[in-house]
Amino acid sequence: MKALLIGGLSAALLATGAYAQPLEPKDQVKNRKAGYQFMAWNMGKIKAQVVDESVPYDPLKVQAAANAIAAVANSGMGELFSPGTSRAELGKQTRLKADFFKNLDEASRLGREFNLAANQLASVAASGDKGAIKAAFGETGKTCKSCHDKFRHD
Amino acid sequence: MKALLIGGLSAALLATGAYAQPLEPKDQVKNRKAGYQFMAWNMGKIKAQVVDESVPYDPLKVQAAANAIAAVANSGMGELFSPGTSRAELGKQTRLKADFFKNLDEASRLGREFNLAANQLASVAASGDKGAIKAAFGETGKTCKSCHDKFRHD
């Protein structure tokens, strides 16, 4: 997975895209929300099994969930964050703060940290070590929260 | 990836889930729509590069997109298809036909075919062979269409 980190948020923010025509703002929002929603569902499954222990721990299910999170993280979502796609321009369609585009270095850093944590979670999930998964899950969650706190409206 | 096929639609339809409490119908719909939307975005990126050739072919981007599709396919979305989550019960929230739940064997078969095709696409994408990717992309698209034609409202 590590070789694909370049597909993450940071690379896309720093590089010009390979796509002549970026998607329409509403479609960027639709796709990025889909990615975050799908990751949230998979984070929830891991949490239930290794943190809350409200459902039995199934290593293959945790592995599948972690792989989904990492693959979404590695898929190049930065292309879905063109300037002009924050709440300032799009209203309630999106919770992205306009500050995101005024702090692209910080956004890139947070995106990189998330990608690294998500790939680490997938790597640890493959080992089946529940304690290590719990720790890596916590680290991943922290990187989600860092970006939400800074760049997402409540 | 192949070891995770059991996390796909077919397994979840055939087995009882590990989750005591399935998600609320509206949340099942929200998460499954997110998964399909995210896969559609990634299918579109591959199509643009290897079929339409409207953007330059970037092997790492195609690989990242194919990995995302396969990982979503392998993530156990069958848990998001509880009885009572079709258009008959939920209206415009979902395009899932009620027929889906009257034909679970067929739904399982189509789900298995999609999973196999998505994993094959990811495998071929890793090789970087554009022609082989185009063929595997076509096969994957056919499995999407088979299920849409049968079980999705227009």
Side-chain angles (χ1 to χ4, degrees), chain A residues 51-108:
Chain A
V51 180
D52 301 341
E53 301 187 331
S54 56
V55 293
Y57 171 49
D58 180 333
L60 283 179
K61 288 198 176 192
V62 168
Q63 192 180 335
N67 283 345
I69 295 162
V72 171
N74 294 333
S75 69
M77 289 180 74
E79 289 174 8
L80 304 173
F81 287 84
S82 291
T85 63
S86 80
R87 177 164 286 185
E89 299 86 8
L90 302 176
K92 289 291 175 73
Q93 278 182 64
T94 178
R95 286 191 278 175
L96 187 69
K97 291 183 180 173
D99 271 356
F100 180 92
F101 297 105
K102 296 171 193 152
N103 295 278
L104 287 179
D105 285 350
E106 175 73 351
S108 292

